[in-house]
Amino acid sequence: MINYIKGTLVSITENSIIVENGGIGYEIFVPLSVMDRIGQTGSGIKIYTYMYVREDLIQLFGFMDQDGLEVFKLLITVSGIGPKGALGILSVMDTDSLRFAVLADDAKTIAKAPGIGIKTAGKLILELKDKLKLKDVVEDALGRGETEAVMPVDNNRKQMVSDAIEALASLGYAPADAMKAVRSVSSDTYTTVEELLKLSLKNM
């Protein structure tokens, strides 16, 4: 198994990149989110990969971070979703948006991915929802620095961010929208979770 490839970005196509390492050019299929983050040809790149093997086919799928790779591997466990379907999903939404869509039963958002209909999106939600918990998702996002706008300098403030997101979700707001609203609040504008909630509601 190839966990990642580090080398020179040689070329970029519509849905894949070529990375040269040790005199070998690896074609790696990537989501559009990766296309937005890679540098220019000739620059160095490190990309995490998943090797897909069939009797007549070997393909590499790549992501800029370990989180993208792990979510991709989770998606392809869903019956009816192969590597290209999973890549399509991660091309229209980032990993946290997907997690929140699953937790919020938001099949319409997931179905915006090419080749993924409402029925398949519903199946995805059904099969993955038990594997995800809102608190874990929020903490994972915070741990990756996804909430830099409100990233706490101590555990107390980090807990306020988590509590605010959960509170908004419990009020009926889509978890993805709740997280975006809380993320947009500057950390120097509140000292309590109540203040953070009030400011966040203005952004909903």
Side-chain angles (χ1 to χ4, degrees), residues 51-158:
M51 181 181 289
Y52 177 65
V53 181
R54 287 192 335 204
E55 291 183 2
D56 59 342
L57 182 67
I58 298 178
Q59 291 178 317
L60 284 173
F61 294 86
F63 307 88
M64 295 300 292
D65 52 47
Q66 195 74 42
D67 182 56
L69 175 61
E70 292 306 317
V71 171
F72 174 83
K73 288 161 69 174
L74 193 61
L75 283 171
I76 61 177
T77 65
V78 177
S79 57
I81 296 181
K84 288 190 176 180
L87 208 66
I89 293 172
L90 294 175
S91 288
V92 299
M93 58 198 314
D94 61 33
T95 54
D96 284 324
S97 294
L98 174 62
R99 288 185 177 99
F100 282 117
V102 169
L103 293 170
D105 291 318
D106 190 357
K108 288 184 178 180
T109 296
I110 298 173
K112 292 178 181 178
I116 304 296
I118 287 290
K119 189 174 181 179
T120 301
K123 184 186 295 183
L124 184 155
I125 290 171
L126 184 64
E127 294 189 25
L128 296 187
K129 194 167 187 179
D130 289 342
K131 300 178 182 180
L132 298 171
K133 294 181 181 179
L134 179 58
K135 185 175 181 180
D136 293 338
V137 171
V138 171
E139 290 181 352
D140 285 347
L142 289 170
R144 288 195 302 276
E146 294 292 335
T147 54
E148 291 183 0
V150 291
M151 194 58 182
V153 293
D154 54 53
N155 289 333
N156 181 53
R157 186 154 299 213
K158 181 176 180 179

Side-chain angles (χ1 to χ4, degrees), residues 159-164 167 190-198:
Q159 186 61 49
M160 282 193 282
V161 171
S162 178
D163 289 345
Y190 65 90
T191 57
T192 66
V193 68
E194 289 79 12
E195 291 175 346
L196 176 56
L197 272 172
K198 290 179 181 179

Side-chain angles (χ1 to χ4, degrees), residues 1-7 19 21 26 28-30 45-52 59-73:
M1 178 64 69
I2 301 174
N3 182 255
Y4 69 84
I5 295 175
K6 188 175 182 180
V19 178
N21 174 283
Y26 296 90
I28 305 170
F29 293 92
V30 297
I45 187 173
K46 179 180 180 180
I47 190 157
Y48 293 87
T49 59
Y50 176 85
M51 181 181 289
Y52 177 65
Q59 291 178 317
L60 284 173
F61 294 86
F63 307 88
M64 295 300 292
D65 52 47
Q66 195 74 42
D67 182 56
L69 175 61
E70 292 306 317
V71 171
F72 174 83
K73 288 161 69 174

